[in-house]
Amino acid sequence: MKLDWSPDFPVTSELLSLMQVAADRAMQAEGISFPCAASVRLCNDAAIRALNASHRGLDQATDVLSFPAVSWPKGKTAGQAPHLLRKMYDPESDACFLGDVVISLDHVRAQAREYGHSEAREAAYLLVHSLCHLMGYDHMNEEEKAVMREKEEAILADAGLAREAGDCPIQDKALLALAREAMSRSYSPYSRYPVGAALHATDGRVFLGCNIENASFGATICAERTAMVKAVSEGARSFDVIAIATRDTPGWPCGICRQFMSEFAPNLRVLVTWGDGSHVEESTLGKILPHQFELKGKEQ
Ligand code: THU
């Protein structure tokens, strides 16, 4: 799904990537293979309050507002009205525009704290809720509400963001999806071997990386090291799991990356996924790099 972002403030790539993963899963869960688009504004409470007042006559801040662009036939949702999706198709943008989503990052922050999960995860929840509205779901009565909840839960489970995951910081499924998302940003014109990585820090942050090649081949950096370099330079030094995505064959980290990662996380869990994402294998850094090189007298 094409998301047209307009963040009023800088946001992390983890947040945008997890929201993209959730949006793609929403389309899949609804059975839509047609190209769809939505605009997503990320703003503060003051801005969403003004919109709530002008569009709904409610002068108060809220977490999310949805403005559907399509009126679905009564009782039907997007997946049940493919003819309408086709009719609304705009060749210029190569998509059917479903509508506008506005999310308050003040609410995202507060709700993430309240539920004990990351801001990215909360923002993905709110986006899924809003996309369900854009696809024709509603919660005006108990019956509608139950159908919408069920759809939301199915999408979130598919994205590895199910609520029953409880205090689990991020499910492997979500991390693997993020690695695939990171792979889409690979710069690999020489090898044509794209790699993506999603590194989970024990403080809850996720850092994404892709391989970035160079005309001077030796200057190329691998996806795993890109992710870890980003993480360490942002102050993270403790990691528990990395997910690595490649296209056709399993992409276990190269020797340099193994040594590099073992500096900070000798017991890191390593997940690799390839193909359509249904293939996943798991190991640990300790197993794939026994006897890593260490220097005595390292400062703690
Ligand atoms: N590559 C990685 O990103 N990670 C690895 O662990 C092994 C190799 C990249 C580097 C290069 O851009 C391409 O894969 C082919 O070697």
Side-chain angles (χ1 to χ4, degrees):
M1 173 173 214
K2 189 175 173 302
L3 296 175
D4 233 326
W5 298 106
S6 50
D8 290 7
F9 321 95
V11 287
T12 64
S13 78
E14 180 206 356
L15 189 130
L16 298 183
S17 303
L18 205 57
M19 290 175 86
Q20 181 65 61
V21 165
D24 292 339
R25 295 296 183 272
M27 295 299 108
Q28 270 169 21
E30 183 66 8
I32 300 177
S33 49
F34 204 76
C36 286
S39 86
V40 184
R41 178 173 171 198
L42 302 170
C43 64
N44 64 9
D45 269 355
I48 208 164
R49 180 177 175 172
L51 286 170
N52 209 11
S54 60
H55 289 272
R56 298 170 69 225
L58 288 172
D59 188 14
Q60 62 195 45
T62 183
D63 49 4
V64 58
L65 288 174
S66 315
F67 301 97
V70 185
S71 1
W72 306 103
K74 201 168 163 38
K76 289 210 165 155
T77 60
Q80 298 157 338
H83 56 285
L84 194 51
L85 279 175
R86 223 165 291 129
K87 204 169 119 195
M88 301 293 291
Y89 174 73
D90 168 29
E92 207 169 299
S93 59
D94 184 31
C96 167
F97 182 65
L98 299 184
D100 299 277
V101 176
V102 183
I103 292 174
S104 161
L105 290 176
D106 288 333
H107 265 71
V108 165
R109 210 163 297 124
Q111 287 170 195
R113 216 172 299 133
E114 185 183 330
Y115 298 124
H117 55 227
S118 72
E119 291 176 17
R121 193 163 168 177
E122 182 60 23
Y125 281 156
L126 295 177
L127 180 64
V128 166
H129 179 78
S130 187
L131 290 178
C132 283
H133 277 306
L134 301 193
M135 295 193 296
Y137 292 88
D138 213 337
H139 43 80
M140 299 298 271
N141 59 46
E142 286 307 313
E143 200 184 318
E144 277 183 359
K145 197 171 164 179
V147 173
M148 183 164 172
R149 274 306 316 141
E150 199 181 314
K151 178 60 71 177
E152 286 173 356
E153 290 299 338
I155 298 167
L156 292 168
D158 226 21
L161 298 168
R163 281 175 204 270
E164 59 268 24
D167 53 8
C168 155
I170 187 165
Q171 283 175 280
D172 290 352
K173 216 173 176 180
L175 206 64
L176 289 160
L178 283 172
R180 291 172 61 76
E181 179 64 19
M183 179 175 66
S184 70
R185 292 177 214 143
S186 157
Y187 177 73
S188 41
Y190 302 104
S191 72
R192 295 190 187 84
Y193 186 83
V195 186
L199 175 66
H200 183 256
T202 52
D203 65 9
R205 285 183 287 171
V206 175
F207 297 90
L208 305 185
C210 62
N211 54 334
I212 306 169
E213 298 186 345
N214 193 272
S216 162
F217 290 179
T220 292
I221 181 161
C222 296
E224 297 89 328
R225 276 179 291 144
T226 304
M228 195 165 268
V229 162
K230 282 172 69 183
V232 175
S233 56
E234 294 295 329
R237 287 204 180 171
S238 164
F239 309 99
D240 51 8
V241 49
I242 189 168
I244 300 160
T246 43
R247 223 159 35 192
D248 305 316
T249 49
W252 291 100
C254 72
I256 295 179
C257 287
R258 293 178 196 203
Q259 175 66 30
F260 191 89
M261 294 193 291
S262 79
E263 182 79 21
F264 296 99
N267 296 316
L268 193 69
R269 282 175 64 228
V270 181
L271 310 173
V272 296
T273 183
W274 67 97
D276 61 3
S278 56
H279 306 286
V280 180
E281 282 183 13
E282 173 170 355
S283 191
T284 64
L285 206 45
K287 278 193 194 134
I288 63 173
L289 182 68
H291 311 295
Q292 87 262 38
F293 179 73
E294 277 178 300
L295 269 187
K296 287 212 177 83
K298 175 185 161 196
E299 245 180 63
Q300 287 309 307

